């Protein structure tokens, strides 16, 4: 019987440079992505839009090159741009969950990619800080509109766990701050 090789590598290609994304990030990264994805998926029932979590290449300049990134969570509504394991349209929403290995790239390079591509809403989520930054595309530039750090102690003056967040283009898709970080301990 042939031996199975452990040769699957998760990678992204930006400006012709391949970035190795293996090994996987901390388990909290996956919990946060799963929480956001599950909420999106629940609200997208009977919709033409689809939510993807860490499993679809986003080819952001298919007419120019074969570069791609793999967003942690991505919401797409134009299915004609789905082919095989890639999407070549413009996502309506992307969330990147920070890890020590990807934080700088998520906050700079990938943010610039999504901005240039016209992604209307971009979230940067930090499991470690239990924080969310929400950027809206306005006049071709991302503007930080909301920034939250979860405070889930009801006795604290800054308690905000029940704060409701919604997607700008999809106001029916709502989630509480505490739902994003469910099962993430401090």
């Amino acid at each position: 019987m042939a031996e199975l090789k452990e040769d699957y590598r998760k990678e992204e290609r930006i400006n012709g440079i391949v970035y190795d994304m293996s090994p996987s990030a901390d388990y909290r990264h996956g919990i946060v992505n799963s929480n956001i994805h599950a909420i999106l998926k629940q609200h997208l029932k009977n919709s033409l839009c689809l939510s993807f979590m860490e499993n679809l290449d986003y080819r952001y300049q298919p007419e120019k090159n074969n570069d791609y990134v793999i967003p942690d969570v991505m919401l797409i509504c134009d299915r004609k741009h789905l082919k095989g394991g890639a999407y070549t349209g413009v996502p309506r929403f992307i969330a990147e969950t920070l890890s020590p290995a990807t934080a700088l790239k998520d906050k700079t390079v990938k943010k610039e990619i999504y901005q240039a591509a016209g992604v209307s809403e971009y979230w940067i989520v930090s499991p470690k800080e239990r924080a969310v930054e929400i950027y809206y595309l306005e006049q071709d530039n991302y503007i930080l509109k909301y920034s939250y750090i979860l405070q889930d102690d009801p006795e604290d003056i800054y308690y905000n766990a029940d704060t409701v967040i919604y997607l700008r283009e999809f106001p029916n898709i709502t989630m509480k701050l505490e739902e994003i970080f469910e099962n993430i301990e401090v």
Side-chain angles (χ1 to χ4, degrees):
M1 180 175 208
E3 243 179 83
L4 292 177
K5 285 187 177 182
E6 295 288 332
D7 62 357
Y8 172 76
R9 308 293 292 177
K10 189 173 178 182
E11 54 190 35
E12 295 178 316
R13 181 185 166 106
I14 302 170
N15 297 323
I17 299 169
V18 175
Y19 294 88
D20 184 7
M21 297 174 59
S22 298
S24 294
D26 181 272
Y27 72 92
R28 291 172 199 86
H29 185 273
I31 291 172
V32 167
N33 291 343
S34 182
N35 290 345
I36 294 169
H37 173 69
I39 293 166
L40 292 176
K41 191 171 178 182
Q42 174 187 352
H43 286 286
L44 292 172
K45 288 181 182 174
N46 304 316
S47 168
L48 292 177
C49 300
L50 299 168
S51 175
F52 292 91
M53 183 180 83
E54 303 175 15
N55 64 345
L56 187 68
D57 295 350
Y58 172 41
R59 295 195 58 229
Y60 54 93
Q61 296 177 321
E63 66 287 343
K64 293 182 182 179
N65 57 46
N66 61 351
D67 287 353
Y68 61 94
V69 293
I70 306 170
D72 287 321
V73 179
M74 178 170 54
L75 174 67
I76 65 104
C77 295
D78 192 353
R79 293 181 183 208
K80 72 180 179 183
H81 294 286
L82 281 170
K83 185 171 183 179
Y87 179 70
T88 57
V90 178
R92 305 287 286 280
F93 165 80
I94 289 180
E96 290 289 358
T97 303
L98 301 180
S99 69
T102 66
L104 181 60
K105 187 170 54 161
D106 291 343
K107 289 183 167 196
T108 58
V109 175
K110 289 177 96 173
K111 184 177 162 200
E112 291 168 10
I113 288 169
Y114 301 148
Q115 178 178 278
V119 178
S120 63
E121 187 167 346
Y122 178 48
W123 290 14
I124 297 175
V125 185
S126 174
K128 184 176 181 181
E129 285 82 23
R130 299 190 312 167
V132 181
E133 293 179 353
I134 299 174
Y135 294 86
Y136 292 159
L137 192 63
E138 294 182 3
Q139 298 172 352
D140 299 325
N141 289 301
Y142 277 138
I143 305 297
L144 177 62
K145 285 295 186 174
Y146 301 99
S147 182
Y148 303 99
I149 298 174
L150 175 63
Q151 179 46 261
D152 56 0
D153 178 357
E155 301 297 316
D156 192 289
I157 189 170
Y158 299 108
Y159 174 81
N160 65 357
D162 57 359
T163 298
V164 176
I165 301 172
Y166 65 93
L167 291 160
R168 180 170 67 169
E169 289 189 24
F170 301 88
N172 64 316
I173 299 178
T174 62
M175 59 191 87
K176 291 182 181 176
L177 198 53
E178 66 187 349
E179 292 174 321
I180 295 170
F181 298 104
E182 185 177 343
N183 295 315
I184 301 293
E185 310 82 34
V186 182

